[in-house]
C-alpha cells in the first residue's frame, strides 16, 4: 500500500502544492494524514473481517452496488494508470533527457514485459524496494541541506494562512483514494489474513502504511519548501525532479529520475492488476482471460497518455479524481459493517464508525467545493 501511494503522483503533487502554497501546505498534509488513517483502518477492518472483496461485499449489501463501486474504482484506476505512464516519461526525461512522450511509450512496452515475465516482475519489486530506501535517504538529505523554514511550517500546520480544499482532496485521493486502500485489503485477504482474529494485525498494517507515507510526504514537503523559499523557480514540466537537481546537483537529479521511473512503472502494473481484479469476479470470461484484460488496460492507458500528454497535470487530476471517489466507497463499506450477516456477527466499534462517517462528511464537502472550483 505504501509503495503504491509513494509513486509519481505522490512526488509531483507534493512538490506542485508546496510551490503554490509554501508553508501553508503543511496544514493540508496533517489533515490528509488524519483522514487517511480514518478511511483506511475502517476499510481494511471491514473487508478483512467479512473476508470478502469490496465489490462482492457491496453486491451482497445491495444487488448492483458492487458493479457501481467497481466501475468507479476501475475508472479511477484508469486515470491513475494514464498518469503513472506519464510519470514513467518524467522519470526517463530526468534520467536520460528523453522526451516524455517517447519515454512513456517505451515504459508502456517495458511494463508489459515485466507483467508477462514473472521473474522480471520479482526482480523489479526488489529493485524498487531498495531504490525506495535510497529515495527516503536522499529526500532526508535534501530536506536538511535546503534549510526549510521549519518553525513557520509547524505553525501553519495548525494555524494556516490559507486552506486549499483541492490539495487536501488530491493528497487523500493519492494515498487512500480509488483502488489503493482496497488493494491493501485485498492483498491481506490473498495472504489468508481475515476474520475477527486478524483485527490487531490489520490495525497495525493500515496505520503503519499511512505513517510511512506521511513521513515521506513531510520530508519531501520540507525539501521542496527549502528550495522554493530560497527563490528557486521549479521547472513546470518536471517540478519534483527540479527540487533534487537544485539541492543535490546533477547526480541527485539523475538518481531521482531512476527512482521516479521505477516507482511509476511498478505502479503501472499494480494499478492495472488491481483494477481488473475488481472485474474478474463478475464473469468467468474475465477471470479466465485476466492477463489479456490487464494487458489491454496497460496498452489503453499508454495510448490515452500519448494522445493527451501533460504528465504533471494528469498526476494532479488522478489524485483529485480518486479523492472524489473515496467518500462513496467508504460510505458503502460502513453501511456493510452494520449488516451482521455480511461481517460474520462482528461489531464494528462505534468510535471507529463515527470517525469513518466524519471522513465521509469532510471528504464529501471538500469534493463539492473542489467540483465547484473546477466548474467555475
Amino acid at each position: 500500500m505504501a509503495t503504491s501511494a509513494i509513486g509519481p503522483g505522490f512526488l509531483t503533487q507534493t512538490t506542485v502544492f508546496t510551490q503554490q502554497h509554501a508553508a501553508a501546505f503543511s496544514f493540508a498534509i496533517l489533515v490528509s494524514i488524519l483522514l487517511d488513517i480514518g478511511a483506511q483502518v475502517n476499510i481494511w477492518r471491514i473487508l478483512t473481517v467479512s473476508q470478502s472483496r469490496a465489490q462482492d461485499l457491496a453486491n451482497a449489501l445491495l444487488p448492483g452496488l458492487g458493479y457501481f463501486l467497481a466501475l468507479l474504482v476501475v475508472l479511477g484506476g484508469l486515470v491513475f494508470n494514464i498518469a503513472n505512464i506519464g510519470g514513467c516519461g518524467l522519470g526517463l526525461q530526468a534520467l536520460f533527457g528523453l522526451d516524455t512522450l517517447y519515454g512513456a511509450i517505451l515504459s508502456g512496452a517495458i511494463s508489459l514485459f515485466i507483467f508477462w515475465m514473472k521473474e522480471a516482475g520479482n526482480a523489479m519489486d526488489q529493485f524498487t524496494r531498495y531504490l525506495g530506501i535510497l529515495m527516503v535517504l536522499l529526500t532526508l538529505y535534501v530536506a536538511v541541506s535546503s534549510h526549510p523554514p521549519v518553525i513557520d511550517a509547524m505553525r501553519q500546520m495548525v494555524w494556516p494562512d490559507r486552506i486549499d480544499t483541492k490539495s487536501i482532496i488530491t493528497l487523500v485521493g493519492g494515498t487512500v483514494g480509488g483502488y489503493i486502500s482496497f488493494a491493501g485489503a485485498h492483498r491481506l485477504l490473498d495472504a489468508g489474513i481475515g476474520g475477527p482474529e486478524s483485527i490487531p494485525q490489520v490495525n497495525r498494517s493500515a496505520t503503519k502504511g499511512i505513517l510511512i507515507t506521511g513521513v515521506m510526504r513531510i520530508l519531501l514537503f520540507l525539501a521542496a519548501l527549502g528550495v522554493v523559499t530560497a527563490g528557486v523557480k521549479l521547472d513546470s514540466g518536471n517540478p519534483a525532479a527540479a527540487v533534487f537537481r537544485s539541492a543535490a546537483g546533477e547526480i541527485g537529479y539523475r538518481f531521482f529520475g531512476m527512482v521516479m521511473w521505477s516507482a511509476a512503472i511498478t505502479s503501472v502494473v499494480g494499478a492495472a492488476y488491481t483494477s481488473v481484479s475488481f472485474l474478474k469476479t463478475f464473469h468467468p470470461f474475465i477471470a479466465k482471460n485476466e492477463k489479456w484484460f490487464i494487458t489491454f488496460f496497460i496498452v489503453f492507458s499508454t495510448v490515452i497518455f500519448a494522445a493527451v500528454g501533460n504528465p504533471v497535470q494528469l498526476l494532479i487530476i488522478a489524485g483529485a479524481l480518486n479523492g472524489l471517489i473515496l467518500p462513496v466507497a467508504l460510505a458503502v463499506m460502513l453501511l456493510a459493517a452494520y449488516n451482521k450477516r455480511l461481517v460474520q456477527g462482528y461489531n464494528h466499534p462505534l468510535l471507529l464508525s463515527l470517525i469513518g462517517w466524519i471522513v465521509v462528511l469532510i471528504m464529501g464537502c471538500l469534493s463539492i467545493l473542489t467540483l465547484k472550483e473546477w466548474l467555475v
Side-chain angles (χ1 to χ4, degrees):
M1 172 266 141
T3 53
S4 293
I6 305 174
F10 179 100
L11 300 169
T12 303
Q13 293 156 11
T14 305
T15 308
V16 168
F17 288 130
T18 302
Q19 187 177 22
Q20 291 176 358
H21 308 295
F25 181 51
S26 59
F27 175 78
I29 294 175
L30 175 62
V31 171
S32 69
I33 291 172
L34 296 176
L35 292 174
D36 290 343
I37 293 174
Q40 182 146 291
V41 171
N42 270 290
I43 290 173
W44 284 27
R45 279 180 67 133
I46 293 166
L47 287 180
T48 51
V49 165
S50 69
Q51 299 186 61
S52 298
R53 291 179 175 271
Q55 68 272 26
D56 298 328
L57 185 62
N59 264 342
L61 177 66
L62 180 66
L65 186 58
Y67 296 105
F68 175 68
L69 179 62
L71 177 65
L72 288 179
V73 171
V74 171
L75 285 176
L78 177 62
V79 176
F80 246 127
N81 227 30
I82 295 168
N84 286 333
I85 290 288
C88 290
L90 290 176
L92 290 183
Q93 180 194 54
L95 191 56
F96 300 117
L98 195 64
D99 183 274
T100 53
L101 175 61
Y102 299 131
I105 294 172
L106 175 63
S107 299
I110 294 173
S111 67
L112 288 175
F113 173 76
I114 291 172
F115 171 67
W116 280 96
M117 298 294 291
K118 187 176 180 181
E119 294 78 9
N122 291 337
M124 194 69 203
D125 282 342
Q126 290 297 326
F127 180 62
T128 303
R129 188 172 292 115
Y130 293 125
L131 271 180
I133 295 170
L134 289 173
M135 181 175 66
V136 173
L137 295 175
L138 179 63
T139 308
L140 176 61
Y141 167 76
V142 174
V144 173
S145 62
S146 63
H147 304 293
V150 176
I151 301 300
D152 187 34
M154 290 175 64
R155 177 187 67 80
Q156 297 211 49
M157 186 174 280
V158 293
W159 194 263
D161 291 341
R162 60 184 178 278
I163 298 173
D164 179 60
T165 59
K166 181 183 174 184
S167 62
I168 297 173
I169 282 280
T170 304
L171 294 193
V172 175
T175 309
V176 297
Y179 77 93
I180 297 178
S181 58
F182 293 119
H186 287 183
R187 286 291 294 273
L188 288 174
L189 290 173
D190 289 342
I193 299 170
E197 67 279 3
S198 68
I199 287 175
Q201 183 178 356
V202 171
N203 287 343
R204 287 194 301 272
S205 297
T207 305
K208 282 181 182 177
I210 298 299
L211 291 179
I212 289 170
T213 60
V215 168
M216 184 60 193
R217 179 92 69 186
I218 290 169
L219 287 178
L220 184 59
F221 158 69
L222 290 174
L225 182 63
V227 171
V228 170
T229 304
V232 176
K233 186 163 180 61
L234 302 181
D235 174 16
S236 60
N238 201 345
V243 168
F244 286 80
R245 170 180 263 169
S246 173
E250 204 62 30
I251 293 177
Y253 178 69
R254 303 296 178 189
F255 175 76
F256 177 81
M258 187 192 306
V259 170
M260 189 163 195
W261 181 81
S262 63
I265 201 162
T266 51
S267 295
V268 168
V269 178
Y273 177 85
T274 305
S275 297
V276 172
S277 77
F278 268 80
L279 302 175
K280 69 179 182 180
T281 58
F282 293 149
H283 198 281
F285 177 79
I286 299 175
K288 184 179 178 181
N289 297 281
E290 181 184 11
K291 281 199 168 187
W292 289 109
F293 275 89
I294 293 171
T295 299
F296 174 77
F297 199 90
I298 293 172
V299 171
F300 186 69
S301 301
T302 306
V303 170
I304 294 297
F305 174 76
V308 175
N310 199 342
V312 173
Q313 190 62 27
L314 278 171
L315 289 165
I316 301 296
I317 291 173
L321 178 61
N322 281 278
L324 302 180
I325 294 171
L326 180 64
V328 177
L330 179 56
V332 171
M333 294 298 102
L334 289 169
L335 290 172
Y338 298 137
N339 190 315
K340 294 291 189 290
R341 176 180 59 83
L342 298 180
V343 293
Q344 305 178 35
Y346 160 72
N347 290 310
H348 199 55
L350 179 61
L351 179 60
L352 199 54
S353 291
L354 181 61
I355 292 171
W357 285 115
I358 289 172
V359 174
V360 170
L361 179 63
I362 292 173
M363 289 298 291
C365 291
L366 292 178
S367 297
I368 293 170
L369 292 173
T370 302
L371 283 172
K372 283 177 64 178
E373 182 184 329
W374 280 354
L375 293 174
V376 172

